[in-house]
Amino acid sequence: MPGADRPPAAADAFVFFGATGDLAYKKIFPALQSLVRHGELDMPIVGVAHAGGSVEDLRQRARASIEHAGTYDADAFARLAARLRYVDGDYADPSTFARLRRELGQAARPIHYLAIPPSLFGAVVTGLGSSGNARDARVIVEKPFGRDLASARALDDTLHAVFPERSIFRIDHYLGKDAVQNLLYFRFANAFLEPVWNRHYVNDVQITMAESFGVEGRGAFYDEVGALRDVVQNHLLQVIALLAMDAPTRHDADAMQSEKLRLFRAIRPLEAADVVRGQFRGYRDEPGVARNSTMETFAALRLQIDTWRWAGVPFYVRAGKRLPTTVTEVVVHLKAPPLSVFGEEQNGPPNHFRFRLSPQVVICAGASVKRTGDAMRGEAVELVVRNDPSADVSPYERLLAHAIDGDTALFTRDDCVEAAWRIFDPLLAAPPPVQDYAPGSWGPEDAASVLLPGDAWHDPQCETKERA
Ligand code: BG6
């Protein structure tokens, strides 16, 4: 066991369960090729699945996946293909894990990625434990981490039966995005934000995650999950944590997690009255969706954070499918100046900070300046701090590289996951009825009902209109 201050040793073999599945096809193979290209995966790579076929079939699938992603690189792919091995077998059968052990050869610190449904975690984790494959090993798991507090705890119990918490890496891919990391960096690498980053200056904080597409062949999965569990309880809550938490006192992963935990614990559990749920018209006709489904494809909600910094400041969150555009954006609205020196009409809108998290990375500050001319009349401008087209490495590549290195900073800890569920549990147990909305709209009109008087939703524009 490494000492608390000693950096952990890097993994020396990469194993992924669910090698023939959807997640591997869409995200993992392209990330593996990039890691190989960047020299970060110089180790055996073992795919495990129960699908028949051979290592040659897996190589072909890897190539199809990477070509589909548009990132095929002949040299890097050849190196990936040469390292790829395959174990085919039932996850409940001990011989599958015995063969995995043989494939791992001399490897002493494998990392096992469970790219499989949570219902299979128990069998795989038990198999890894009893076959010796878990010794000095790490495990990576994907969301959903349960569907409520009780199931999240059960999942943690399953994992902890074999892996200590410090060896468990829970992926929330939002934490691997450069724009999301920049929220934290911009807040704590600068001194000018802190004096205004509180209830005295901030009127409200809004986060919108809009997607113009629907459930796209994931109907059966999505109908069990819905927008609240799919993106709000995890991705958007993590964004809120980075926006609202206090600065960690040390530069280490545990200090960061502990500040997040403090924040999550200060968020008031949600009730039906804080939330509007919507479902786009036509959702029930999607393949895999129940004809009488009441699952939400849209949610708008108001969160309250009971800390001295944030008491009384509403945090509004909106997420949905089949909205007018695909964009994730945070806007922090500041309060208006205390007096209108130039008259009500002449004042521009109050200041704001805007962080676009995708598709581009944008950070800007909204201000008012005087228009040229005699009159003291203002116009609203945005001072652009950063405006990058997304040239970032993929979140999966970044997260897998961190997990291989044993760096837990970008992963979520068991107590944080459980605290996040505690916020959503009362709502999920008694959700408000779902309201329908037209595809291509900003959700049900009633979404405005979660806003406090005087507040309005900021609808992100399809095209950014920043001025330099
Ligand atoms: C996933 C959700 O976790 O995140 C999807 O399951 C969603 O429904 C996706 O579309 C959004 O991620 P990104 O990186 O495209 O914003």
Side-chain angles (χ1 to χ4, degrees), residues 53-256:
S54 64
V55 67
E56 199 40 50
D57 296 322
L58 192 66
R59 287 192 185 115
Q60 279 174 24
R61 190 165 167 83
R63 181 167 176 153
S65 137
I66 294 166
E67 283 177 348
H68 180 76
T71 55
Y72 179 72
D73 168 332
D75 177 52
F77 182 76
R79 284 186 280 148
L80 169 63
R83 274 167 217 166
L84 205 54
R85 300 169 191 187
Y86 181 55
V87 173
D88 187 87
D90 189 332
Y91 298 152
D93 179 353
S95 77
T96 305
F97 296 88
R99 278 180 289 128
L100 172 61
R101 190 55 259 169
R102 281 201 295 279
E103 284 296 341
L104 286 174
Q106 298 300 312
R109 295 180 306 280
I111 184 156
H112 303 285
Y113 185 172
L114 309 191
I116 49 176
S119 54
L120 301 175
F121 283 8
V124 171
V125 166
T126 309
L128 288 172
S130 45
S131 59
N133 282 301
R135 198 174 312 124
D136 294 327
R138 299 186 185 122
V139 66
I140 305 175
V141 292
E142 273 283 333
K143 82 174 225 318
F145 311 124
R147 48 180 296 108
D148 53 21
L149 178 58
S151 53
R153 280 188 175 145
L155 196 61
D156 282 335
D157 289 347
T158 302
L159 294 169
H160 288 152
V162 174
F163 292 96
E165 179 60 22
R166 66 171 186 284
S167 302
I168 301 172
F169 292 72
R170 295 178 189 79
I171 287 194
D172 180 318
H173 79 278
Y174 258 57
L175 292 175
K177 288 182 186 246
D178 206 47
V180 173
Q181 295 183 343
N182 216 336
L183 287 176
L184 192 72
Y185 192 89
F186 188 65
R187 278 194 62 203
F188 296 129
N190 297 300
F192 66 85
L193 274 185
E194 184 61 16
V196 300
W197 216 248
N198 55 55
R199 63 192 301 275
H200 301 296
Y201 287 91
V202 174
N203 182 75
D204 64 278
V205 179
Q206 300 197 6
I207 300 155
T208 297
M209 177 179 179
E211 294 179 316
S212 58
F213 49 89
V215 292
E216 300 197 314
R218 301 164 75 218
F221 160 80
Y222 196 87
D223 208 34
E224 289 289 312
V225 177
L228 289 164
R229 288 187 176 95
D230 188 36
V231 298
V232 182
Q233 184 270 351
N234 36 65
H235 303 330
L236 300 186
L237 209 58
Q238 291 293 334
V239 170
I240 289 178
L242 299 180
L243 285 166
M245 65 189 248
D246 286 330
T249 47
R250 293 189 318 272
H251 177 65
D252 69 46
D254 259 336
M256 177 77 76

Side-chain angles (χ1 to χ4, degrees), residues 288-411:
V289 170
R291 294 292 87 104
N292 58 352
S293 169
T294 56
M295 191 48 85
E296 79 280 347
T297 60
F298 171 97
L301 51 112
R302 184 180 70 242
L303 284 165
Q304 302 175 72
I305 304 179
D306 290 332
T307 59
W308 277 44
R309 187 192 281 272
W310 294 119
V313 178
F315 280 67
Y316 300 124
V317 179
R318 223 174 14 161
K321 304 275 186 199
R322 300 298 307 270
L323 299 191
T325 179
T326 299
V327 61
T328 302
E329 192 161 280
V330 174
V331 180
V332 178
H333 288 123
L334 300 194
K335 292 184 175 171
L339 285 174
S340 301
V341 173
F342 309 110
E344 289 295 341
E345 309 255 301
Q346 269 51 277
N347 259 9
N351 300 133
H352 67 258
F353 289 94
R354 184 161 70 83
F355 303 88
R356 181 165 284 204
L357 306 182
S358 76
Q360 320 87 324
V361 181
V362 176
I363 302 179
C364 54
S368 291
V369 293
K370 182 186 165 299
R371 284 191 200 172
T372 310
D374 288 341
M376 292 298 266
R377 299 213 19 221
E379 66 176 329
V381 294
E382 282 195 326
L383 312 169
V384 180
V385 180
R386 161 78 94 215
N387 186 356
D388 260 359
S390 270
D392 189 22
V393 301
S394 88
Y396 274 88
E397 180 185 348
R398 173 171 291 136
L399 292 169
L400 294 183
H402 279 239
I404 288 166
D405 285 346
D407 179 354
T408 55
L410 298 181
F411 299 86

